[in-house]
Every structure is written in C-alpha cells, then in structure tokens.
Amino acid sequence: MKKFSLLVVFVGCATLSHLCAADAPAVATKPKPPTAEAAATANKPSSEQVAAIELRHKSTFEMEGNNRNPFWPIGWKPAAKLSEAGTEHAGPDIPVSAFVVSSITIEQGTRFAIVNGKVMQEGQQFGLQLGNQTYQIKVRAIEDGRVILARRDQDIAVPLRRK
C-alpha cells in the first residue's frame, strides 16, 4: 500500500507540474529597436493612405447681421464695444424718447434716478443699445423733475415721466 500511495503522489505531482507549465506565459524577448531608415519610412504616409481621405461636403456657418450667436450661453450678452473713432463717426444724435426716467430721489447730498429701469447716480456711465450700435452715456446731473445725460458733445435733458 505504501508503494501505491507513493505512486499516486508522484503521478499527481507530475500532472500538476505539467498543467502549471501550460498556463505560464511564454518568456518574452525584448524586440530590437528599429534602424533609423525603418523609423523614417514608418512615419511617412504612403500615397494610398493620403488618397483614401476625400471630403464630399464641407460644412459652413453664416450668420445674418442682427442674429444672436448660437454658441453664446443662453441669456449672455456681449460687452459693449467702445470705438476709438473721433467725433466724425459719432453717429446720429440720440433722441430723448430713447430714455425713460421713472423716479428721482434727492436727499442731503445723494441723488438717484431710475433711468430705463436701472438705478443711476450722478457721474455714472452706462451703455445704451439702439439697433446694432451701443452708445456710452454718462449721467451728468440729476435735478428736480429731470435728468441730464451726456454723450460726447451732446447733452440730453430727459424729463421725469408722470402718469
């Protein structure tokens, strides 16, 4: 019986070692680095590869004058651009009807007015957009019953709107 158990153990070990050798990865050999000539020709595309790419339809994007750029975030508006042009390119005079003064507050040294829905103080500047043009307007003075606005050489007296 002793001989039989030794035989079983020996056969089992031989089988086990054979299975382990089959699962083990093969010994990898390190590839030889390519020569300089082979590397130079490998980076150049062949004439077959270049001719394979052909554009049939090229996409384009054109935008009309007053449209909103579709790539801007929703609700975002670009900042007003100030031109460095002289007074000859100042544009037409701005009409008084472009402004609405809905409230004026005058108290001990502080003066506020609501112009076009925004609270303004004397000396404050804001942008007024008419069509494609943006004009820089300055609040020159806030008086009882009217606001005096300035744009370059033009003074605009806007009366308080009364209902």
Side-chain angles (χ1 to χ4, degrees):
M1 182 78 169
K2 201 174 191 184
K3 287 183 182 181
F4 180 70
S5 50
L6 283 176
L7 180 62
V8 171
V9 170
F10 178 70
V11 172
C13 287
T15 307
L16 186 62
S17 67
H18 177 67
L19 291 175
C20 289
D23 290 341
V27 177
T29 59
K30 190 173 186 180
K32 295 180 181 177
T35 62
E37 293 173 0
T41 58
N43 291 337
K44 292 182 182 178
S46 67
S47 61
E48 295 172 5
Q49 292 173 342
V50 172
I53 299 173
E54 182 178 323
L55 294 177
R56 292 187 181 170
H57 301 285
K58 185 176 180 182
S59 64
T60 60
F61 177 77
E62 294 180 19
M63 202 168 95
E64 295 178 13
N66 291 342
N67 292 350
R68 183 186 154 278
N69 188 335
F71 301 105
W72 290 339
I74 294 173
W76 184 82
K77 294 183 181 182
K81 295 178 184 176
L82 295 176
S83 64
E84 297 296 325
T87 57
E88 66 274 359
H89 298 293
D93 289 344
I94 299 173
V96 177
S97 62
F99 302 99
V100 176
V101 176
S102 54
S103 178
I104 294 176
T105 303
I106 300 174
E107 273 189 31
Q108 301 172 351
T110 59
R111 296 171 179 242
F112 294 98
I114 298 179
V115 180
N116 292 350
K118 296 181 182 178
V119 178
M120 298 290 168
Q121 192 173 11
E122 287 182 340
Q124 189 172 352
Q125 289 188 353
F126 64 97
L128 174 70
Q129 186 164 0
L130 291 175
N132 291 340
Q133 200 94 24
T134 302
Y135 301 99
Q136 287 297 314
I137 309 294
K138 183 177 182 178
V139 179
R140 181 166 302 200
I142 298 175
E143 299 173 354
D144 188 22
R146 70 180 186 164
V147 175
I148 303 202
L149 303 172
R151 178 182 164 258
R152 293 202 173 122
D153 295 334
Q154 178 189 8
D155 281 348
I156 305 165
V158 184
L160 176 64
R161 184 180 78 184
R162 302 173 197 262
K163 287 189 178 182

